[in-house]
């Protein structure tokens, strides 16, 4: 299995949203709950990391969730001690 160059993380404003997202993802997309990486600022300490690498599936999931959050693309390579991160999509409130 090849090592991915990046992965997608959905960060939330509240822990409740993070827990609901984890439950909402079951049977919809491969994802796991994780601590928010230090490169991402979030009101909550938890995030959802997508194990599925298909961006269209991830974006479709994010567009249909019943809560708000921010989707980030994070590099697996470190540059100056940090993983480069890019905001990809914001789920409105």
């Amino acid at each position: 299995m090849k090592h991915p160059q990046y992965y997608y993380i959905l960060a939330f404003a509240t822990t409740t949203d993070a827990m609901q997202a984890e439950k909402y993802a079951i049977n919809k997309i491969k994802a796991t709950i994780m601590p928010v990486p230090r490169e991402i600022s979030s009101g909550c300490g938890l995030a959802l990391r997508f194990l599925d690498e298909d961006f269209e599936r991830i974006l479709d999931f994010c567009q249909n969730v019943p809560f708000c959050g921010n989707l980030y693309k994070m590099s697996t390579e470190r540059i100056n001690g940090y993983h480069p991160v890019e905001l990809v999509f914001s789920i409105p409130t």
Side-chain angles (χ1 to χ4, degrees), residues 9-51:
I9 297 173
L10 185 56
F12 307 95
T14 70
T15 303
T16 302
D17 285 346
M19 302 309 287
Q20 287 177 343
E22 181 182 33
K23 289 180 183 177
Y24 187 80
I26 295 173
N27 298 323
K28 290 179 180 62
I29 195 164
K30 292 180 184 178
T32 188
I33 201 86
M34 64 175 278
V36 174
R38 66 182 174 168
E39 292 85 354
I40 297 173
S41 177
S42 172
C44 167
L46 298 174
L48 195 65
R49 178 177 173 183
F50 293 97
L51 304 175

Side-chain angles (χ1 to χ4, degrees), residues 65-82:
V65 293
F67 34 79
C68 60
N70 290 314
L71 179 65
Y72 296 92
K73 180 178 179 180
M74 178 175 256
S75 173
T76 56
E77 180 183 343
R78 286 182 184 253
I79 297 174
N80 296 325
Y82 292 92

